[in-house]
């Protein structure tokens, strides 16, 4: 390790480092930092069409457009409220803001318009697809026989079931006319290049935004099995669609997919590496649990609390890092709070006010679940302050009310859209002996 622990004369030191760790990870995986080296430099004899899809779409399109020569046009498809400043786009670029995490009518309009644009490309042209997390909902066009309402029902059921993102997107691909490589097939005979900011554990490019320009390796049968295994009740139209062989995703040797270039330009491992560097610079030993954690959020929080308690025994300053996308089983339809808040509340309950241990968990896109926060912070005083307000932590966790819990304490982390997305950063800070607890 280099450096020395941050000054601990006040309780702000631990909180300041936690926030700095999150800010550092977001910066490390921003489009401005990770995209320029991957932009195609060779010129084409035709034109370049940029289609940017996902929560990072505006930033990715802005960076790419500033570095490409020749005739250029573009379509940015992003979440409502995620396309504005500080990113600027060429005057001929179109922007469609759509629904997330459940598709809406703008999601359909975006998909239809994208198909129209790529259908006009020729053999001398290039489609540059800039893909990031969130695109599955933002970019949706159901197969024949399935309505938008049907897709919304299936999406909500999948999100509440506790299914992994890979499972959810496997189903989505087989109910879509644009996912699972279909956008690339529609762009043939143009050259297709896909640059991805990955938000999925394992970084399989075919699962990021359900892979609109990437060959799929799942099947209709797998999609049906996922619904059955998770006990998900869906409309009859969806069952029929998943039994229709015409809705199988295109094979990898299809025009538009064969010979296409796919590259991941940023991933959760990059974010964790940046956090590790900062923590070590400040004199903290780092335990990196990896970027692929997908357990149930509140249980993972309890497990990490046990680990933190063991590691705190020697009194040394430490940081425990992890990434990935945990799952939440929603039992209260009126509950509020995403996976990071459920993780943190499970952690706080298991820590039970243990001294010196603080934590942050945030989604790098700035939105944890469906609320306005990126995540929250836990301190040794979290439970005592909650009790003073009459809050029952265990009851609120069981009722999916983690947002209300941390909101009442004033411990939410609110950043607004970050215009990137490599999923979650979780950091548990074990302060050195003598550092005061947060109040």
């Amino acid at each position: 390790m280099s450096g020395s622990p941050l000054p601990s004369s006040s309780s702000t030191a631990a909180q300041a480092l936690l926030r700095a760790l999150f800010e550092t990870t977001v910066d490390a995986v921003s489009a401005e930092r990770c995209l320029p080296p991957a932009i195609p430099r060779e010129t084409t004899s035709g034109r370049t069409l940029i289609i940017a899809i996902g929560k990072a779409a505006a930033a990715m399109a802005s960076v790419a457009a500033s570095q490409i020569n020749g005739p250029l046009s573009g379509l940015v498809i992003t979440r409502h409220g995620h396309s504005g400043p500080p990113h600027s786009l060429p005057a001929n670029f179109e922007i469609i803001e759509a629904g997330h995490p459940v598709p809406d009518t703008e999601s359909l309009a975006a998909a239809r318009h994208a198909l129209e644009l790529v259908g006009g490309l020729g053999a001398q042209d290039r489609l540059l697809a800039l893909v990031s997390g969130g695109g599955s909902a933002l970019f949706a066009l159901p197969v024949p026989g399935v309505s938008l309402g049907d897709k919304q029902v299936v999406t909500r059921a999948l999100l509440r079931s506790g299914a992994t993102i890979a499972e959810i997107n496997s189903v989505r691909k087989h109910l879509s006319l644009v996912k699972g490589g279909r956008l690339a097939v529609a762009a043939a005979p143009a050259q297709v290049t896909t640059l991805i900011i990955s938000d999925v554990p394992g970084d399989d490019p075919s699962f990021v935004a359900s892979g609109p320009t990437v060959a799929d390796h799942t099947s209709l049968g797998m999609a049906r099995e996922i619904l059955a295994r998770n006990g998900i009740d869906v409309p009859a139209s969806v069952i029929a669609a998943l039994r229709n062989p015409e809705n199988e995703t295109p094979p990898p040797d299809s025009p538009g997919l064969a010979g296409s270039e796919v590259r991941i330009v940023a991933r959760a491992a990059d974010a964790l590496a940046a956090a590790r560097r900062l923590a070590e610079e400040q004199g903290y030993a780092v335990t990196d649990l990896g970027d692929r954690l997908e357990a149930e959020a509140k249980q993972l929080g309890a497990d990490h609390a046990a680990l933190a308690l063991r590691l705190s025994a020697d009194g040394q300053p430490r940081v425990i890092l992890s990434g990935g996308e945990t799952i939440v089983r929603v039992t209260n339809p009126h509950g509020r709070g995403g996976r990071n808040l459920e993780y943190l509340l499970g952690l706080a309950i298991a820590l039970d006010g243990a001294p010196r241990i603080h934590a942050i968990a945030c989604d790098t896109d700035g939105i944890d679940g469906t609320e306005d926060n990126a995540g929250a912070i836990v301190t040794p005083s979290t439970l005592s302050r909650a009790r003073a307000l009459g809050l029952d932590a265990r009851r609120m966790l069981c009722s999916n009310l983690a947002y209300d819990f941390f909101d009442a304490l004033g411990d939410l982390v609110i950043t607004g859209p970050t215009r990137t997305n490599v999923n979650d950063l979780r950091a548990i800070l074990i302060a050195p002996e003598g550092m005061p607890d947060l109040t």
Side-chain angles (χ1 to χ4, degrees), residues 53-55 99-100 132-139 199 208-209 421:
I53 304 168
K55 296 177 185 177
H100 184 276
S132 56
S136 295
L138 303 168
F139 189 62
D199 70 328
V208 182
N421 185 13

Side-chain angles (χ1 to χ4, degrees), residues 34-275:
C34 68
L35 194 57
I39 300 296
R41 302 300 175 185
E42 68 278 8
T43 59
T44 67
S45 56
R47 58 194 175 95
T48 297
L49 170 65
I50 291 177
I51 294 186
I53 304 168
K55 296 177 185 177
M60 295 180 79
S62 177
V63 171
S66 69
Q67 301 194 30
I68 293 177
N69 297 317
L72 178 67
S73 60
L75 171 63
V76 173
I77 303 166
T78 193
R79 179 176 174 160
H80 292 293
H82 283 238
S83 66
H87 304 291
S88 60
L89 295 165
N92 67 334
F93 273 49
E94 301 174 81
I95 299 173
I96 298 178
E97 294 186 340
H100 184 276
V102 178
D104 60 11
T105 55
E106 285 79 11
S107 305
L108 271 62
R112 290 192 182 103
H113 192 37
L115 287 176
E116 177 185 5
L117 292 175
V118 301
L121 296 175
Q124 305 305 312
D125 300 325
R126 174 191 286 124
L127 169 62
L128 178 58
L130 305 175
V131 180
S132 56
S136 295
L138 303 168
F139 189 62
L141 190 59
V143 297
V146 176
S147 68
L148 172 61
D150 294 335
K151 283 291 291 288
Q152 291 171 330
V153 168
V154 173
T155 300
R156 291 189 181 100
L158 284 165
L159 292 173
R160 291 173 177 171
S161 70
T164 66
I165 189 61
E167 292 174 327
I168 292 171
N169 287 355
S170 295
V171 175
R172 283 166 156 167
K173 292 179 188 183
H174 292 91
L175 298 173
S176 174
L177 294 175
V178 290
K179 297 178 174 67
R182 290 181 177 90
L183 184 65
V185 171
Q191 176 186 350
V192 179
T193 300
T194 303
L195 303 180
I196 298 172
I197 294 180
S198 170
D199 70 328
V200 299
D203 301 314
D204 184 331
S206 72
F207 286 129
V208 182
S210 297
T213 54
V214 181
D216 181 36
H217 52 78
T218 67
S219 67
L220 284 165
M222 293 171 66
R224 294 193 299 269
E225 190 273 335
I226 288 166
L227 292 178
R229 174 159 37 85
N230 287 280
I232 299 172
D233 187 24
V234 297
S237 61
V238 171
I239 297 299
L242 293 178
R243 290 174 177 164
N244 186 346
E246 293 184 3
N247 294 328
E248 193 57 88
T249 48
D253 58 356
S254 300
L257 290 173
S260 69
E261 179 186 3
V262 178
R263 180 175 176 183
I264 294 178
V265 299
R267 64 196 78 206
D270 302 324
L272 289 180

Side-chain angles (χ1 to χ4, degrees), residues 309-340:
L309 289 168
R310 290 197 301 272
L311 292 178
S312 68
D314 63 6
Q316 298 303 307
R318 299 179 185 274
V319 171
I320 304 169
L321 297 173
S322 65
E325 181 171 2
T326 58
I327 61 175
V328 171
R329 290 180 172 85
V330 179
T331 58
N332 177 10
H334 305 293
R336 296 199 303 166
R339 57 184 180 265
N340 286 295

